[in-house]
Amino acid sequence: MDKKLAQALIKETFESPFDKNRFASFVRNLLNEIEEASFVYRGNLIPDAYEQYIVSYERIGKYKDGDNRIDILVVKLNKETSIERARTRQRNFIAGYLQGKYGSTTEKEAALVAFVAPNGEDWRFSLIKMDYRFMEGSIKEEFTPARRWSFLVGVNENSHTAQSQLVNLVADDEKLPTLSQIEQAFNIEKVTKEFFEKYREQFLRTKDTLDEIVQKDKKIEKDFTAKGVETVDFSKKLLGQIVFLYFLQKKGWFGVKRDEEWGAGPKNFLRELFEGKHGRYKNFFNDILEPLFYEALAREREDDFYSRFNCRIPFLNGGLFDPIKNYDWVHTDIYLPDDLFSNNYLTKEGDTGNGILDIFDRYNFTVKEDEPLEKEVAVDPEMLGKVFENLLEIKDRKSKGTYYTPREIVHYMCEQS
């Protein structure tokens, strides 16, 4: 299959409400050869320990790479919140299935699973794998608990990461992928490094742009000099403020109407701000972002209603939304160009836009931090901490940054300590 067609298939599958036929078609293209072996279990066939979490589970088929068997499953969850919570329960449920405790008495090495919320809009595509060891007499015994890697998918998510990770497997119509190759497609470290490089480039572009503005505008230069504001620190803080809001907008905390509850806001509030859906502007940074940062988010208001954007904005106490070195944001107009945030530039990867919002919009954000047995192929707080750590020593384009330690090594070091 042509790579563009493979990307289109992934996009159509992962940016839509869950559809079993579409999912089955995607899996067939991913694995190239699956054995049709379907069944559906629900009701009293769900083990008692999981009945409050799981409505049904269905096997679409099974696949063998030679040494390993991989089953393809669809698990319907009982509550909307279950897609975010009860992750250990979901993983343990599939672990029991892989061990042959229910559904099929044969032991399996792994499963590719679609976990689907009741509304069908939000779902996870997961690889769950058992690690076994061979003991004396070739008796197979469990070595570690099941591990799960997941892509966040559905109508509220972007499939950029899934496309970049899975496209080669989907495009290859000839070879049957091994379990190891499938596991590599769920590798979070590749996403971490890619996100850091994109983030670093956005920081450098912002700093270079701000340097030019400060050199040309004596009023800004005077205020920055008097307050001791460095463009490198200003740019790092600006990127940090924006990316922090990407986590919170995923929770629906921005753009909430006056009489609605937290969580009801759009999941792409920053993009809506840029598109002028919450008020017109002449300059996005000066007229929208600065008031959002230093007024809406930094000051308490009755019922958190912010009239400028005609919606509720939560008060976030803390230094992140204090003006750096108390620079005069009200009287100093800093006109960062709008195309720094979003534009129609065609990237070498074939994506449209290389602005800050364009780049961040392509990634999935989750507030759930990774655990050794549970990994989201998404930007999480731990990954963001590593990005900031890497950025500490970077002052300009000649800087190399600090060394990035993969999270598996960090977990191992902590356990040994």
Side-chain angles (χ1 to χ4, degrees):
M1 179 185 296
D2 177 81
K3 275 196 173 184
K4 287 188 177 180
L5 290 177
Q7 288 176 324
L9 175 62
I10 297 169
K11 181 180 176 68
E12 181 184 16
T13 305
F14 286 177
E15 293 187 15
S16 304
F18 179 78
D19 179 89
K20 187 178 77 171
N21 292 330
R22 185 164 48 216
F23 175 68
S25 175
F26 161 76
V27 172
R28 289 190 192 96
N29 280 280
L30 177 71
L31 302 177
N32 290 328
E33 182 182 290
I34 65 171
E35 179 185 344
E36 303 291 339
S38 60
F39 60 69
V40 181
Y41 287 147
R42 58 171 59 89
N44 59 7
L45 295 176
I46 304 293
D48 293 345
Y50 303 102
E51 61 182 359
Q52 64 174 306
Y53 304 99
I54 293 169
V55 174
S56 67
Y57 67 102
E58 175 179 358
R59 185 172 71 187
I60 292 177
K62 50 189 181 180
Y63 170 81
K64 290 209 72 173
D65 70 352
D67 297 324
N68 302 293
R69 174 173 156 183
I70 304 171
D71 279 17
I72 299 94
L73 306 174
V74 175
V75 176
K76 298 288 183 68
L77 302 175
N78 196 30
K79 300 177 182 178
E80 300 292 346
T81 54
S82 294
I83 202 74
E84 284 293 335
R85 302 174 187 171
R87 296 191 300 171
T88 300
R89 289 279 186 176
Q90 295 166 22
R91 188 178 69 246
N92 289 343
F93 172 74
I94 299 299
Y97 172 83
L98 294 176
Q99 292 169 307
K101 294 180 179 179
Y102 38 82
S104 170
T105 57
T106 308
E107 289 183 345
K108 285 79 63 176
E109 281 69 33
L112 288 170
V113 189
F115 290 94
V116 186
N119 65 8
E121 290 190 350
D122 302 308
W123 52 292
R124 269 184 170 79
F125 177 52
S126 299
L127 169 65
I128 300 178
K129 176 187 171 188
M130 297 296 296
D131 287 333
Y132 295 102
R133 63 178 172 181
F134 287 95
M135 305 297 289
E136 224 176 282
S138 297
I139 299 174
K140 187 186 276 190
E141 294 186 356
E142 183 181 344
F143 180 52
T144 66
R147 299 175 183 271
R148 176 164 83 154
W149 300 262
S150 301
F151 288 104
L152 304 168
V153 295
V155 296
N156 295 311
E157 301 293 343
N158 192 293
S159 66
H160 166 82
T161 299
Q163 289 179 46
S164 63
Q165 300 277 95
L166 295 167
V167 66
N168 289 332
L169 291 181
V170 175
D172 190 339
D173 294 327
E174 302 296 329
K175 297 176 183 176
L176 301 181
T178 65
L179 177 55
S180 177
Q181 288 173 322
I182 296 171
E183 188 176 337
Q184 278 301 308
F186 285 80
N187 189 340
I188 184 61
E189 297 305 334
K190 180 180 176 183
V191 180
T192 303
K193 291 175 182 177
E194 177 187 286
F195 183 75
F196 169 70
E197 289 303 322
K198 299 291 186 184
Y199 194 102
R200 178 180 184 274
E201 181 57 33
Q202 292 305 314
F203 155 68
L204 293 172
R205 284 184 61 208
T206 302
K207 179 187 175 299
D208 291 345
T209 303
L210 187 59
D211 283 338
E212 293 179 9
I213 291 173
V214 172
Q215 289 174 6
K216 294 177 181 178
D217 192 313
K218 297 302 178 185
K219 185 176 181 181
I220 300 175
E221 183 181 35
K222 181 179 179 180
D223 185 48
F224 277 21
T225 301
K227 305 289 176 56
V229 177
E230 299 287 343
T231 58
V232 62
D233 298 324
F234 190 104
S235 301
K236 286 180 180 179
K237 183 164 186 173
L238 172 58
L239 267 292
Q241 290 167 322
I242 294 174
V243 78
F244 180 71
L245 296 186
Y246 265 80
F247 285 103
L248 297 188
Q249 74 175 0
K250 295 296 293 191
K251 298 176 73 65
W253 284 6
F254 300 125
V256 179
K257 294 179 181 179
R258 188 191 289 270
D259 298 321
E260 291 187 354
E261 297 295 323
W262 296 117
K267 303 297 176 64
N268 62 337
F269 180 68
L270 289 173
R271 175 58 64 177
E272 289 193 354
L273 282 177
F274 188 84
E275 293 175 349
K277 294 182 179 179
H278 298 274
R280 296 182 179 180
Y281 60 87
K282 292 182 179 179
N283 179 270
F284 182 63
F285 177 75
N286 195 67
D287 303 335
I288 298 293
L289 288 186
E290 284 189 310
L292 172 65
F293 294 159
Y294 308 128
E295 195 170 69
L297 295 166
R299 299 178 187 173
E300 288 190 83
R301 299 171 306 283
E302 185 178 351
D303 70 15
D304 293 295
F305 188 77
Y306 187 55
S307 59
R308 184 191 289 260
F309 298 151
N310 193 32
C311 63
R312 297 177 72 194
I313 302 288
F315 164 63
L316 300 179
N317 193 12
L320 183 59
F321 295 103
D322 290 334
I324 186 168
K325 299 291 184 72
N326 201 31
Y327 83 94
D328 190 358
W329 72 272
V330 176
H331 300 101
T332 304
D333 294 321
I334 302 177
Y335 294 124
L336 290 171
D338 290 347
D339 63 9
L340 178 69
F341 299 95
S342 185
N343 55 62
N344 293 318
Y345 176 82
L346 188 64
T347 69
K348 62 181 181 180
E349 295 87 5
D351 297 310
T352 301
N354 67 349
I356 296 171
L357 302 186
D358 300 324
I359 297 299
F360 289 172
D361 280 349
R362 291 185 192 123
Y363 290 89
N364 309 97
F365 288 80
T366 174
V367 295
K368 300 288 186 182
E369 290 200 26
D370 271 352
E371 305 166 9
L373 301 178
E374 185 81 38
K375 298 182 183 298
E376 302 279 13
V377 190
V379 179
D380 64 10
E382 181 183 346
M383 179 193 291
L384 196 60
K386 290 297 180 183
V387 169
F388 289 156
E389 175 189 328
N390 246 307
L391 207 63
L392 284 175
E393 301 302 319
I394 295 180
K395 306 293 183 183
D396 52 38
R397 294 187 180 274
K398 296 179 181 179
S399 304
K400 294 184 178 180
T402 57
Y403 176 72
Y404 169 72
T405 305
R407 61 189 69 196
E408 282 85 0
I409 296 176
V410 174
H411 283 306
Y412 174 78
M413 292 165 65
C414 292
E415 288 172 359
Q416 293 304 304
S417 298

